[in-house]
Amino acid sequence: MAKTSTTTQGLRAAIERSGYYPALVAEAVEAAVGGEAIKSYLVHQETTFDANEVRRHVTVLVLTGNRFIVSHTDEQAADTTSPTPYATTSTESVKIGRISSVVLSRVVANPESYTPGTLPREVVLTIGWGAVSRIDLEPAACGDPNCEADHGYTGSSTADDLSLRVSEAGDGPETVRQALAFAQSLSEATADPAR
């Protein structure tokens, strides 16, 4: 990273710890951040199994004073477009004022004996800024079981820009802490009336 602040160094170390093409990921994130100071970040590496292949994916979330930056890097096996394996990296920069929702879902064990400050077993962070929406439709019906009329459709539209699941078992307690801290920082930034 271009800056030498503790937060920037922490982000660089987290990218390197992920072990997932750190030079490529860091360069993409650095280019997106530019000269802005980093307020908070989250690095999440995910491994998935696709048929007989193992695929890795890393998401880096960065909060600056003005923007929310999302970076995704995926690896792909050799295919008809490339004789060798390759990776794709994308970054998106969103003005803080465009973020419409920050949802944090916490999963805790033994809720009857929960003590404030105890780390959740897992968290799901969902962030919406209007870039992607999902529409779920189903045939509408009336209460008459013998009715054969066409009642059209009913459904719902939900923001589906980013959803990230982090668990203590899969990602470790430090990543869960970072997800909680990042969610809080982002939520506070969106509550700022100056935005």
Side-chain angles (χ1 to χ4, degrees), residues 103-158:
V103 179
L104 183 67
S105 301
R106 302 167 189 243
V107 177
V108 298
N110 303 313
E112 69 281 353
S113 61
Y114 177 77
T115 304
T118 303
L119 200 60
R121 188 171 65 198
E122 70 180 59
V123 296
V124 178
L125 176 59
T126 304
I127 304 165
W129 59 91
V132 179
S133 293
R134 180 174 31 116
I135 298 176
D136 294 320
L137 294 175
E138 61 184 41
C142 67
D144 181 0
N146 297 319
C147 180
E148 295 180 11
D150 182 356
H151 295 285
Y153 290 88
T154 185
S156 62
S157 174
T158 51

Side-chain angles (χ1 to χ4, degrees), residues 23-181:
L24 174 65
V25 173
E27 182 181 56
V29 171
E30 180 180 309
V33 170
E36 289 188 72
I38 296 170
K39 293 186 162 212
S40 187
Y41 64 87
L42 176 63
V43 176
H44 182 252
Q45 196 250 329
E46 181 179 13
T47 303
T48 57
F49 300 93
D50 182 19
N52 294 329
E53 296 179 14
V54 176
R55 294 183 189 239
R56 297 180 301 163
H57 172 88
V58 70
T59 301
V60 179
L61 308 180
V62 177
L63 177 63
T64 71
N66 300 307
R67 298 179 298 144
F68 164 63
I69 297 164
V70 182
S71 174
H72 294 289
T73 303
D74 290 290
E75 66 182 353
Q76 306 293 327
D79 59 21
T80 57
T81 64
S82 175
T84 60
Y86 60 98
T88 54
T89 299
S90 64
T91 57
E92 182 173 3
S93 176
V94 181
K95 289 183 179 181
I96 297 294
R98 295 244 3 238
I99 296 175
S100 56
S101 67
V102 178
V103 179
L104 183 67
S105 301
R106 302 167 189 243
V107 177
V108 298
N110 303 313
E112 69 281 353
S113 61
Y114 177 77
T115 304
T118 303
L119 200 60
R121 188 171 65 198
E122 70 180 59
V123 296
V124 178
L125 176 59
T126 304
I127 304 165
W129 59 91
V132 179
S133 293
R134 180 174 31 116
I135 298 176
D136 294 320
L137 294 175
E138 61 184 41
C142 67
D144 181 0
N146 297 319
C147 180
E148 295 180 11
D150 182 356
H151 295 285
Y153 290 88
T154 185
S156 62
S157 174
T158 51
D160 202 18
D161 293 310
L162 177 74
S163 189
L164 194 70
R165 178 184 170 271
V166 178
S167 72
E168 186 176 23
D171 304 296
E174 185 54 35
T175 304
V176 174
R177 280 188 200 87
Q178 287 177 342
L180 291 169

